[in-house]
Amino acid sequence: MPKMADQRTHLVLENYIGGKFVPCSRHIDSYDPSTGEVYCKVPDSDKEEIEEAVKAAKEAFPAWSSKSPAERSQILNKLADLIDAHLDEFAQAESRDQGKTVTFARTVDIPRSAYNFRFFGSSILHHTTECSQMDHMGCLNYTIRSPVGVAGLISPWNLPLYLLTWKIAPAIAVGNTAVAKPSEMTSVTAWMMCKLLDEAGVPPGVVNIVFGTGPRAGAALVSHPEVPLISFTGSTATAQRITEGSAPYCKKLSFELGGKNPAIIFQDANLQECIPNTVRSSFLNQGEVCLCTSRIFVERSIYSDFLQKFVEAAQKWKTGVPTDSSVNNGALISKEHLEKVRGYVKLAQAEGGKVLCGEGVTSLDLPERNKSGYFMLPTVITDVSDESRCMQEEIFGPVTCVVPFDSEEEVIRRANNVKYGLSAVVWSRDVGRIHRVAKKLQAGTVWTNCWLIRDLNLPFGGMKCSGIGREGAKDSYDFFTEVKTVTIKH
């Protein structure tokens, strides 16, 4: 595993195509979010690099798809072992590249990245196909599942290796080959993983990583006629462009997009559990998680009590240098994103909202070296209308709005009153109410009295503008394969 660049030299990444690292003549600056300084040069790939990667993936497809599930499973498990063996290097790199804390990368991002390979390496051994008898017609019907070909995979910057492996693992597990484009802002751990692929036994061309921007490398991948499916995690606006670019080729599409996720807190909620969990669901990873809570609806009878305790807890959610093991949040991804998130706070104030803690209210003391980093304190806003932009648009930062409600029917209507439908949280001890509300909420996942507990076997994805399709053991298997029905008359 390579050593990371020191403070005086820039790390220069290369594309990984056909089992080899290939230099690029054009590069993009990548910044350390905790300092605001350039520390890495990322390839600025275009159609030529995508063409080479697709060619390599096509050439590798016949042999890879012919391997048995058990053979592919063994390779995926070996790759997982290698990632685990380099846990600390990956965690340090992910933290420096993305701004998240080393602790979060070490305990969440990198272990989950390894587990993604183990999970799909196991699940492919247990899928079964369907069979039906039609004795009255003298026929037997059965289905066959086959890999599609070259999978185009585009992953975001908030959970870089975690979400990249969530796509690569199922794609290659079922026999596809892959051309993946990570975010140009967080490419380092993908590049590091490439150095492990050969050791794990992944044949050349099975996994190709092309670095670059969405408008250049991403657009070329999406519109390539020999890439029959695209899996994308990111913004709804980008998904719209992918849909347009892929439309002439009738590609299979899977989108996991943005969210404006509500938490609904009824008067009988256990606040001792609810408040720390809602602080976590609002601010984890600097609020840069698509599942983070950004609208908190609290029943009016407990609104004042909840708000006071919630703000006190939010003020204890520590923001600081990502290498400090005592901090909860590190830096936001970029200067531009920080300004965008700050802009929403100013907008809320202009619309009559009140900032109770965080941005513009509380000061943050940082070491001299980190004063130019992209840090922002957990920010709680009240007195905003449901129609305000802060209550309608995805902010994707450490900002949440808290508002009161009076009835169950009212809060369901208000929670659903956005274009998104990714996830929701309900806090109540009333089992009947939990089932009623969960059924009526327009969200792909509803957590009750908890948050971010996942069984990877179950479907994950969003409704409305939060996505198309689902991911999980069976759902990913269905997406990354084509089903064929065979009827035999005997």
Side-chain angles (χ1 to χ4, degrees):
M1 185 60 61
K3 297 289 184 184
M4 295 300 295
D6 64 25
Q7 307 302 332
R8 299 177 300 279
T9 60
H10 291 156
L11 189 64
V12 181
L13 307 190
E14 295 177 320
N15 290 320
Y16 187 76
I17 299 173
K20 297 179 180 178
F21 286 97
V22 181
C24 186
S25 60
R26 304 170 303 278
H27 292 89
I28 305 162
D29 288 340
S30 183
Y31 293 79
D32 180 338
S34 72
T35 63
E37 298 171 353
V38 175
Y39 89 104
C40 179
K41 299 285 188 178
V42 177
D44 184 13
S45 305
D46 207 339
K47 292 181 180 178
E48 295 81 5
E49 290 82 2
I50 291 292
E51 187 63 47
E52 286 302 308
V54 172
K55 181 182 177 184
K58 280 189 65 183
E59 290 175 354
F61 177 72
W64 180 249
S65 59
S66 297
K67 287 185 180 294
S68 69
E71 290 174 306
R72 294 195 296 267
S73 176
Q74 187 175 22
I75 292 171
L76 265 65
N77 277 286
K78 174 65 172 174
L79 182 54
D81 291 342
L82 290 170
I83 292 173
D84 279 342
H86 296 282
L87 170 64
D88 197 59
E89 295 111 300
F90 273 106
Q92 296 282 348
E94 200 75 295
S95 171
R96 188 176 183 192
D97 204 24
Q98 200 273 335
K100 66 178 76 242
T101 66
V102 173
T103 301
F104 189 76
R106 185 182 287 124
T107 57
V108 177
D109 287 65
I110 308 308
R112 171 62 188 273
S113 300
Y115 183 65
N116 285 340
F117 286 112
R118 286 201 185 90
F119 177 79
F120 287 106
S122 171
S123 69
I124 56 168
L125 302 178
H126 306 293
H127 289 297
T128 57
T129 54
E130 298 172 342
C131 177
S132 71
Q133 294 176 240
M134 298 176 66
D135 292 338
H136 63 291
M137 299 290 290
C139 288
L140 175 71
N141 307 290
Y142 63 92
T143 60
I144 298 171
R145 283 275 175 187
S146 303
V148 181
V150 179
L153 312 174
I154 304 175
S155 57
W157 50 257
N158 60 322
L159 301 165
L161 193 64
Y162 176 139
L163 290 175
L164 177 65
T165 55
W166 180 237
K167 297 182 183 303
I168 291 176
I172 67 171
V174 301
N176 298 293
T177 54
V179 176
K181 191 204 84 68
S183 169
E184 69 275 15
M185 291 191 283
T186 51
S187 297
V188 171
T189 50
W191 172 77
M192 290 169 65
M193 183 186 70
C194 292
K195 295 179 175 288
L196 304 177
L197 294 175
D198 181 64
E199 187 178 351
V202 179
V206 170
V207 175
N208 306 273
I209 308 285
V210 179
F211 301 103
T213 65
R216 286 165 66 90
L221 180 59
V222 164
S223 62
H224 198 292
E226 294 178 289
V227 178
L229 59 79
I230 300 291
S231 175
F232 168 75
T233 299
S235 74
T236 301
T238 301
Q240 291 167 344
R241 291 193 289 272
I242 291 174
T243 302
E244 293 166 0
S246 63
Y249 307 99
C250 299
K251 297 175 188 257
K252 295 182 75 175
L253 300 176
S254 176
F255 293 155
E256 194 266 282
L257 309 176
K260 192 65 183 171
N261 312 303
I264 299 173
I265 297 154
F266 288 97
Q267 58 84 24
D268 63 341
N270 180 344
L271 293 188
Q272 285 189 319
E273 291 184 10
C274 171
I275 286 174
N277 272 283
T278 306
V279 167
R280 178 172 166 264
S281 74
S282 299
F283 305 123
L284 186 74
N285 198 46
Q286 305 77 242
E288 294 171 330
V289 179
C290 58
L291 298 164
C292 272
T293 300
S294 60
R295 296 179 296 147
I296 304 173
F297 297 91
V298 186
E299 195 158 6
R300 196 175 297 276
S301 61
I302 62 165
Y303 179 73
S304 296
D305 185 34
F306 173 89
L307 194 59
Q308 178 187 343
K309 292 176 179 176
F310 182 75
V311 170
E312 289 172 356
Q315 289 171 324
K316 294 175 183 175
W317 189 263
K318 188 177 177 183
T319 299
V321 181
T323 53
D324 182 347
S325 60
S326 71
V327 306
N328 303 105
N329 275 2
L332 276 69
I333 182 65
S334 69
K335 182 178 180 180
E336 294 77 13
H337 187 61
L338 174 62
E339 290 307 314
K340 173 193 166 187
V341 176
R342 283 175 169 167
Y344 275 104
V345 179
K346 293 175 184 174
L347 185 63
Q349 292 173 309
E351 293 176 332
K354 184 178 179 182
V355 180
L356 299 184
C357 67
E359 179 65 23
V361 175
T362 319
S363 60
L364 177 61
D365 187 27
L366 292 165
E368 191 62 36
R369 182 171 180 269
N370 300 99
K371 289 188 183 297
S372 295
Y374 316 131
F375 295 90
M376 182 174 175
L377 288 163
T379 300
V380 180
I381 303 173
T382 60
D383 299 338
V384 286
S385 72
D386 289 0
E387 288 69 36
S388 70
R389 288 180 60 189
C390 283
M391 287 285 280
Q392 289 289 322
E393 299 177 12
E394 184 178 41
I395 299 174
F396 215 64
V399 178
T400 194
C401 299
V402 188
V403 293
F405 73 90
D406 293 299
S407 72
E408 183 178 311
E409 295 75 16
E410 170 206 336
V411 77
I412 292 168
R413 173 180 53 78
R414 293 172 64 190
N416 290 338
N417 185 34
V418 292
K419 69 178 182 178
Y420 298 104
L422 188 57
S423 71
V425 184
V426 180
W427 287 90
S428 175
R429 303 187 209 202
D430 184 331
V431 175
R433 172 187 282 153
I434 283 172
H435 286 293
R436 285 194 308 272
V437 175
K439 184 176 180 180
K440 292 178 181 177
L441 287 174
Q442 296 168 350
T445 299
V446 179
W447 283 288
T448 62
N449 300 323
C450 64
W451 180 70
L452 210 57
I453 294 174
R454 286 282 315 281
D455 179 348
L456 301 190
N457 285 290
L458 299 181
F460 174 75
M463 299 179 179
K464 301 192 284 188
C465 288
S466 286
I468 297 173
R470 294 291 184 268
E471 298 171 301
K474 182 180 183 300
D475 297 272
S476 294
Y477 179 65
D478 290 348
F479 175 71
F480 284 109
T481 58
E482 290 283 17
V483 65
K484 180 186 298 182
T485 299
V486 179
T487 299
I488 300 175
K489 186 172 177 63
H490 54 83

